Amino acid sequence: MTYTAHTDLIPRPRLLSPVPPGRSHFPLDRDTLLDARPGTEGVAHWMRSTIGAATGLPLAPGDDDDYRIVLAIDPALPPEGYRLVVDGYAIRLDGGSAAGVFWGAQTFRQLLGPEAFRRAPVVQRDEWHLPMVVIEDEPRFAWRGMMLDVARHFLPKDGVLRYLDLLAAHKLNVLHLHLTDDQGWRIEIRRHPELTATGAWRERTRLGHRASPLWDARPHGGFYTQDDIREIVAYAAARHITVVPEIDIPGHSQAAIAAYPELGNTDVIDTTSVKVWDTWGISPNVLAPTDNTLRFYEQVLEEILGLFPSHFVHIGGDECPKDQWRASPAAQARIAALGLADEDALHGWFIRHFDRWLAERGRRLIGWDEILEGGLAEGAAVSSWRGYAGGIAAARAGHDVVMCPEQHVYLDHRQHAAPDEPVPIGFVRTLEDVYRFEPVPPELTAEQAAHVLGTQANVWTEVMDSQQRLDYQVFPRLAAFAEVAWSRLPAPADRDTADFGRRMAAHYARLDALGVDYRPPGGPHPWQRRPGVLGRPLDGAPPNV
């Protein structure tokens, strides 16, 4: 496959071929019409509001001219697949569904050049040119996601909408929104208003790793109203992105306990003294295994289901210390009444309760791989984060899996070993390292591998206290991850990193046009550094577990 300047596409398409012979480019001007066939009207609206705004082209509706763009659905194509033909006649963009047409429109935008990624024209042109090509493409995985942690550091609504645009530009189709944790509750629950009145705010914030002596003394917080969430979900849907909510149960729940002390283990500690946590790590304060707790979270989830149409609902289930349960007479009585073996089994009881509750309402539970330890119902799915092992075990047991091992695709991990890397956390994971990530372990049979729904890059924001820091950690590595999730690449050792690097050189100009404060290839800009803020770098190669 030979690329030219405007065909340095990311993700790399399955097939790209020039159209011989004749002109090398197809002109677009103010008279070019946009012919949206049934089912593609939403894509046409996106093209006019985004590509039209950047180019100054009206892309007016019409079907009576050869020099037009035709959007159509072709059921013979895969659901998210598309075919783009630029051959000197009408430009044809066909997709197996509206989503396929939309992903083709993302490729169309890349073909126009980086200026098409701005919000208004920066050059006055009578014509824009598309290279004469045929592109046929489809994704490898149905789940191509990014998890965004807005609990540790709140990202205002406009920042979430901006990230939805960035995901769409990279053909990613899942935003896993981590809405609750020890450090904050970020979604309005009308039946339980203290979750945001109290739980959305902490008095101060640790700067850097939890061993750091530095503090930001300003109160920190924020939350999304239910109308904010409706807006986010609708904005995502227009870009064929599913927003998967995460509400943590039964660990990572200190913010909820601070708001409603009766949710905690009141026979072990004075839960009225618990505050929204101001530091990082794993809080010992976990939910009490009471009927009141179950009913409370059912009421929370009732409102969540009304806001998020996602088939999957994430309930966390990770990093739940059992010390308070061991010390709690009420928890021990619950274990005995249920005939459970121990506190680990009590954790499994929590998860299975909400597994059944969601299934009865036509939804599916997904949780971090610790949920395997208590046994799962057939329909539950697993986010494999501690490595590949949880995903392998889940797939072998017949559960669907999203692969997101921290050793490979945790974007909070540092990008270089240099001392000027800001707040260095974890192992070094370079752009090339992410490009060589393989979501499907070779240990799985074909039948087991079919349970791998896809893959996800996770962005934990303990040390990302601004949009600038978020951009720095996410980009450019998210571009490499997007190609792993979309394209059918060779085995990791055989991947053409030189070709990817050459295409990335063109992609940086697109990120510049989008205003992304990415990490430059040569290292951080002076304003991106955070001297004196303690991180926790880990040396050597990460374990492949």
Side-chain angles (χ1 to χ4, degrees), residues 31-97:
D31 295 323
T32 301
L33 303 177
L34 183 55
D35 179 2
R37 304 289 169 84
T40 69
E41 297 87 353
V43 181
H45 174 77
W46 179 87
M47 291 179 72
R48 291 190 184 99
S49 62
T50 305
I51 297 174
T55 60
L57 301 178
L59 301 177
D63 60 2
D64 59 353
D65 189 90
D66 284 342
Y67 285 92
R68 70 185 191 276
I69 304 161
V70 181
L71 309 180
I73 291 176
D74 180 354
L77 293 171
E80 289 191 279
Y82 68 89
R83 179 177 56 247
L84 176 61
V85 179
V86 187
D87 62 359
Y89 301 97
I91 298 170
R92 293 279 314 196
L93 173 50
D94 298 313
S97 67

Side-chain angles (χ1 to χ4, degrees), residues 294 335 355 468:
L294 298 181
I335 289 172
D355 189 346
Q468 182 189 74

Side-chain angles (χ1 to χ4, degrees), residues 16-250:
L16 184 153
S17 57
V19 174
R23 296 171 299 172
S24 60
H25 291 91
F26 185 98
L28 304 177
D29 59 27
R30 296 188 63 81
D31 295 323
T32 301
L33 303 177
L34 183 55
D35 179 2
R37 304 289 169 84
T40 69
E41 297 87 353
V43 181
H45 174 77
W46 179 87
M47 291 179 72
R48 291 190 184 99
S49 62
T50 305
I51 297 174
T55 60
L57 301 178
L59 301 177
D63 60 2
D64 59 353
D65 189 90
D66 284 342
Y67 285 92
R68 70 185 191 276
I69 304 161
V70 181
L71 309 180
I73 291 176
D74 180 354
L77 293 171
E80 289 191 279
Y82 68 89
R83 179 177 56 247
L84 176 61
V85 179
V86 187
D87 62 359
Y89 301 97
I91 298 170
R92 293 279 314 196
L93 173 50
D94 298 313
S97 67
V101 179
F102 183 74
W103 304 129
Q106 300 303 321
T107 298
F108 180 95
R109 189 187 192 188
Q110 289 196 21
L111 293 174
L112 285 171
E115 296 90 351
F117 286 79
R118 296 189 177 271
R119 296 189 182 185
V122 295
V123 291
Q124 297 301 318
R125 295 188 188 176
D126 294 329
E127 287 187 347
W128 290 73
H129 293 145
L130 279 179
M132 306 280 268
V133 291
V134 174
I135 298 174
E136 295 181 7
D137 203 7
E138 63 185 276
R140 179 184 181 189
F141 294 111
W143 185 303
R144 308 179 302 280
M146 187 185 92
M147 189 229 66
L148 179 58
D149 169 21
V150 296
R152 271 53 178 272
H153 278 101
F154 179 64
L155 184 66
K157 179 196 69 179
D158 285 353
V160 177
L161 299 178
R162 173 177 177 266
Y163 258 81
L164 286 167
D165 282 329
L166 293 172
L167 296 186
H170 292 83
K171 298 188 175 75
L172 297 172
N173 68 344
V174 174
L175 175 64
H176 170 176
L177 206 53
H178 182 77
L179 290 163
T180 72
D181 215 297
D182 301 309
Q183 296 84 4
W185 185 285
R186 304 293 177 219
I187 183 169
E188 177 190 20
I189 301 298
R190 291 176 177 169
R191 189 159 181 172
H192 300 296
E194 284 300 316
L195 286 171
T196 48
T198 296
W201 307 93
R202 59 179 180 259
E203 294 177 354
R204 62 176 187 169
T205 300
R206 177 85 67 180
L207 280 180
H209 183 256
R210 60 181 175 271
S212 167
L214 302 178
W215 294 91
D216 183 339
R218 298 173 297 173
H220 176 84
F223 65 92
Y224 309 111
T225 68
Q226 294 203 356
D227 281 346
D228 290 338
I229 292 295
R230 291 185 182 97
E231 180 182 357
I232 288 168
V233 168
Y235 196 85
R239 286 148 183 79
H240 299 275
I241 296 172
T242 299
V243 183
V244 176
E246 179 177 350
I247 304 295
D248 268 304
I249 303 169

Side-chain angles (χ1 to χ4, degrees), residues 4-6 8-10 114 501-511:
T4 60
H6 282 185
D8 287 329
L9 302 176
I10 290 177
R502 185 182 56 75
R503 287 182 286 120
M504 270 304 302
H507 197 64
Y508 284 119
R510 300 181 191 120
L511 297 179

Side-chain angles (χ1 to χ4, degrees), residues 303-379:
E303 296 193 29
I304 293 295
L305 299 190
L307 294 168
F308 294 91
S310 166
H311 189 51
F312 286 98
V313 175
H314 208 292
I315 54 78
D318 62 315
E319 297 180 328
C320 179
K322 313 299 191 304
D323 297 339
Q324 290 185 358
W325 291 348
R326 293 187 184 98
S328 165
Q332 292 302 310
R334 192 85 195 207
I335 289 172
L338 293 169
L340 300 175
D342 53 21
E343 293 78 19
D344 290 338
L346 185 64
H347 179 269
W349 167 81
F350 249 116
I351 303 304
R352 288 192 303 275
H353 175 86
F354 289 102
D355 189 346
R356 291 191 300 270
W357 189 91
L358 287 167
E360 288 167 359
R361 288 152 183 82
R363 305 296 184 98
R364 290 182 66 186
L365 180 147
I366 185 169
W368 303 111
D369 52 55
E370 287 97 327
I371 68 174
L372 283 166
E373 295 162 7
L376 284 180
E378 183 178 345

